[in-house]
Amino acid sequence: MECKDCIFLAFRPNNETEFMEFIEAEILRTKLFFRHYSYPCGIKMLVYKLDPRLSADFELVRKGRYSGTSKEYQALFPKTVTVKNIFGKKGEEISLQYRVFNKTADLKKFWEDRIGVQFLEDQELWPGMSIEKETFHINRFLDAQAS
């Protein structure tokens, strides 16, 4: 399915009813929700139009220059998220997006410890985008499931 200036998000929900409720909420929440469809293997695709007002930000994201995105773009992502630990207890945590946009000290330390390099101030703390890695290919998915 082609859609110029859209983003496709793949899900494999465990609970079909909850996922349909999520889709209904998305339809009401944003005019940018375009459509949804399913594959027989259980993969659900949600398609959103990209807001043309933020096209410069999308280009920065494509180039991996996350900290250079506008405050308007960054405000679309939550600063904190609710997470569940292995015992089911919920808590608040700084979101990954906030950490990437703001190059937080804890994210910098995580990567420096993990890959053994020191980041310079002008370096981003998240890998750049790869269209090939970000593109969902149903046949590759099915082949991987079969093996």
Side-chain angles (χ1 to χ4, degrees):
M1 193 227 129
E2 288 296 318
C3 177
K4 185 173 171 25
D5 296 323
C6 286
I7 187 168
F8 292 69
L9 304 177
F11 294 86
R12 193 169 191 186
N14 292 328
N15 185 314
E16 188 72 29
T17 302
E18 284 181 7
F19 193 73
M20 289 310 297
E21 290 170 0
F22 170 73
I23 290 173
E24 290 170 12
E26 284 297 276
I27 290 168
L28 296 173
R29 184 186 69 80
T30 178
K31 294 182 288 191
L32 298 173
F33 185 89
F34 182 59
R35 69 181 298 244
H36 66 94
Y37 59 95
S38 301
Y39 288 104
C41 61
I43 296 292
K44 312 291 185 193
M45 300 297 287
L46 304 187
V47 184
Y48 292 83
K49 295 177 187 174
L50 298 177
D51 189 332
R53 294 177 307 116
L54 300 170
S55 61
D57 292 302
F58 299 137
E59 190 56 35
L60 287 169
V61 168
R62 285 183 191 103
K63 293 178 179 177
R65 302 298 302 170
Y66 309 104
S67 64
T69 56
S70 70
K71 293 300 176 193
E72 179 185 12
Y73 178 79
Q74 292 179 21
L76 296 172
F77 300 86
K79 181 176 179 178
T80 60
V81 291
T82 303
V83 295
K84 261 193 230 182
N85 67 16
I86 59 171
F87 304 110
K89 185 174 169 131
K90 293 181 180 180
E92 290 293 308
E93 210 176 81
I94 300 292
S95 73
L96 179 59
Q97 293 89 350
Y98 181 88
R99 288 180 165 116
V100 170
F101 292 145
N102 294 281
K103 298 198 256 186
T104 60
D106 64 318
L107 185 60
K108 183 179 178 188
K109 181 176 177 0
F110 170 83
W111 283 117
E112 287 177 344
D113 291 349
R114 182 141 188 199
I115 60 177
V117 299
Q118 294 292 325
F119 283 90
L120 303 174
E121 280 302 310
D122 65 336
Q123 289 181 295
E124 296 290 334
L125 301 179
W126 202 255
M129 191 177 139
S130 162
I131 293 295
E132 181 57 30
K133 289 181 183 176
E134 300 292 333
T135 301
F136 178 74
H137 299 279
I138 187 64
N139 291 334
R140 288 185 195 165
F141 174 81
L142 294 173
D143 289 346
Q145 293 296 302
S147 52

